Amino acid sequence: MTPAWRPGDRRADVASMLRVDQAGEYGATRIYAGQLAVLGDRHKSSALIAGMAAQEKEHLSHFDALLAARGVRPTILQPFWAVAGHALGAATALIGPAAAMACTAAIEDEIDAHYSEQLAELGDGDAPLSASIERFQADERAHRDAAIEAGAESAFGYPLLYAAIRAGCRAAIELSKRI
Ligand SMILES: [Fe+2]
Ligand SMILES: [Fe+2]
């Protein structure tokens, strides 16, 4: 845990936090849309994915509203994440349902860590934002657990797939913080 903010410390850059969170939730909606585009609505994983997708849409609208209310511009990478997220979702679903779940497990582990970092950085500096992040983090953890439950770890090459997607997610986070 990072200690609370003290005079002389750098204040949490809330605009950058909101930008990356909105980008991440947007990316999540695109990943699930890509998976559902491949699996359709009749696959046995479809209902689970659609349920997670609905929660991501709710997370996204919350951050959309926060960006607007606080005058924060979205990342200029939004059009890129639209394509990359959809492609990642579609590609993992094409490999198979277990790979689609492996994708969710990797992404959600990274987002869980990312939200923990933000909560530590915020301290008690922005209670409403921290409350939202805590609520969404609980959802992301539930998505990860559901993905593991649904067989993520049985995906072919799981350790490699997991590590590659998690690293990609980390890179996307770092980019969206900055631009
Ligand atoms: Fe989310
Ligand atoms: Fe999620």
Side-chain angles (χ1 to χ4, degrees), residues 16 19-20 114 117 170 172-179:
S16 159
R19 182 172 303 125
V20 65
H114 164 72
E117 277 170 31
R170 185 79 233 163
I173 287 171
E174 290 307 320
L175 279 170
S176 300
K177 275 183 195 170
R178 287 167 177 78
I179 49 180

Side-chain angles (χ1 to χ4, degrees), residues 24-25 28 55-56 59-60 108 111 115 136 139-140 143:
E25 299 296 353
Q55 285 187 311
E56 303 300 359
H59 301 171
L60 175 61
E108 301 296 17
I111 300 300
Y115 279 151
F136 300 160
D139 289 342
E140 314 304 6
H143 296 173

